[in-house]
Amino acid sequence: MGSARIVVIGTGYVGLTTGACLAGLGHQVTCVDVDEMKVARLAAGRVDILEPGLEELVSRGLATGRLGFVVGSRRAVADAQAVFLCVPTPMGAGGAADLRAVEAVIDEISGTLPAGCAVVTKSTVPVGTAQRIRGLLGRADVPVVANPEFLREGTAVADFLNPDRIVVGSDDEPTARWVAELYADLAAPSVVTDAASAELVKYAANCFLAMKLSYVNAVAELCERLGADIESVTDGMGYDRRIGRSFLKPGPGWGGSCLPKDTHALVQVAESVGFDFSLLSAAIGENIAQRDRIVAKIAGAVGGSLAGARIGVLGLAFKAGTNDLRDSPALSVTAMLAAHGAEVTAYDPAVGGDLPGMRIVDDPYQTAKGADAIVVLTEWAEFRNLDWTYIADLMHGDAVVDTRNLLDPKVVLATGLTWLGLGRPRARVLAR
């Protein structure tokens, strides 16, 4: 299809990635935000989000004139063919998605949307939101489309440009197919369905991944108790094409901007129709228990009590490749350490400034000075290449708790330090 006139409302990592990538596909895109200073920075090509390839894509869009940034939605949508809603839908009271930002945008633009303009929800929204938006718009001449995103922070641009699938849903099938055609150059399979099904796809996918992560964390705990090795177990599982290898790495728990709120939201949606989604509730409970287990492992590594213990933390972002701290399991663990009386010094290559309950340093080796234990909480590759002999010299204690199984145990153990991973029996590690 030819170039479409698209307005993207919201310039968070989903909105900015969506806008920049659609412009890269040849569409004329205007990105809207309420933050005047943020809009000015973006219009100058300055991107605050740490996302590989995004700043270059924004600069290219600005240079070609296909990408622009403005403040305020009402006038921006006046000649749009499609308006993508990419505003926050955070966890609200009781775990349900908070749709106030979506509702505020609809209230602002409903009177100026041109007839036939598609309102497209890119934000993760509960099942029934498309129908709710239609009611709020009060306009039969404006179709509403659900087009969920499947972007992972740290690989969002690559995910957008190389998608597994495009999911589009609407009760107006011709409009749904037109929206799917916006992505035609990506040559990805399209699932065109009704709005409710498209909305549920995003929740069902994310919640499945959350359950898979909770499952592998529980299996890792079982490995420790039975003397098995989680790496051998997941290696054997991963060859099964029905299971696959992704999301089979144990860690300190899942977090970020999506999985926590989406799991709680789907539990709430299920309850609203009288269904007890106990399987998903158990996965949420397992995720909380995992953080408790990590803190207990650290306490055991320093003699049983964290009171007065000096803990060096490597990694604060919820995953490597991003500076996002939203619902980071690393922050949950460090907060629990501080609550138990530990003195926490932390380093993350993408996180600076001040955070409660810890001292943040700009050199990873500073976390080791006088530390009773070093704890790896985010899987930054650079941590593998640290000088662990130097770290051993700096430390007061000898414990390295690797909650991501990131480090080479032999390298750490060769320095005289003790390495504790997840689901990895020490004797088996030493024998390899």
Side-chain angles (χ1 to χ4, degrees), residues 332-350:
S332 295
V333 169
T334 54
M336 293 167 72
L337 293 173
H340 282 84
E343 179 185 328
V344 179
T345 302
Y347 166 81
D348 188 291

Side-chain angles (χ1 to χ4, degrees), residues 236-285:
M237 291 170 64
Y239 281 107
D240 190 327
R241 286 172 293 180
R242 298 168 300 173
I243 297 172
R245 295 191 175 278
S246 64
F247 285 73
L248 281 185
K249 287 188 176 296
W254 38 266
S257 63
C258 294
L259 297 189
K261 73 180 182 68
D262 290 354
T263 49
H264 282 90
L266 190 55
V267 167
Q268 289 294 312
V269 167
E271 288 180 356
S272 73
V273 292
F275 177 65
D276 179 11
F277 207 152
S278 56
L279 181 63
L280 183 54
S281 296
I284 295 171

